[in-house]
Amino acid sequence: QVQLMESGGGLVQAGGSLRLSCKAPGRIFSITDMGWYRQSPGKERELVATMSRDSTSTYADSVKGRFTISRDNLMNTASLQMNNLKPDDTAVYYCRAVGMLTTSGSLDAWGQGTRVTVSS
């Protein structure tokens, strides 16, 4: 089972910034999509931002213009720069990697989650 390693969560005031980082093991054959999801209490997990291997990015409408996803295909890492944070951004953020673990085995791995709390 592949475990992604996340870091960078914390407590910040509204209007502040945080940067989340995620690293996947190097033994993965290929990562097609790498991105971030979040889950608030009582809500379903939702997509925040993802980036494909060719650098095509997708963002939730609620974070467009404030969050930026980046990715390093060689290092199997992804980052999420979060600016102008709002209390509604408070959630546990999860990294996800989708692709091929081996030439014949698929990959759909998640991190353990990192908590982001934005105070008003």
Side-chain angles (χ1 to χ4, degrees), residues 50-113:
T50 63
M51 181 172 278
S52 65
R53 192 168 183 83
D54 66 359
S55 299
T56 300
S57 58
T58 301
Y59 293 93
D61 288 342
S62 60
V63 307
K64 285 180 180 177
R66 300 187 298 121
F67 292 11
T68 302
I69 188 171
S70 59
R71 178 177 165 178
D72 185 326
N73 293 333
L74 291 178
M75 299 299 293
N76 284 349
T77 60
S79 296
L80 185 69
Q81 178 65 42
M82 305 185 294
N83 297 328
N84 190 21
L85 282 159
K86 304 176 180 180
D88 284 349
D89 296 317
T90 295
V92 177
Y93 285 69
Y94 298 89
C95 181
R96 183 186 187 189
V98 177
M100 297 298 292
L101 180 60
T102 65
T103 55
S104 59
S106 63
L107 170 74
D108 189 352
W110 293 83
Q112 78 284 358

Side-chain angles (χ1 to χ4, degrees), residues 5-6 8 15 18 29 33 40 73 82 101 106 115-117 120:
M5 299 301 295
E6 300 152 339
L18 283 174
F29 178 71
D33 293 293
S40 305
N73 293 333
M82 305 185 294
L101 180 60
S106 63
R115 185 173 300 276
V116 172
T117 303
S120 57

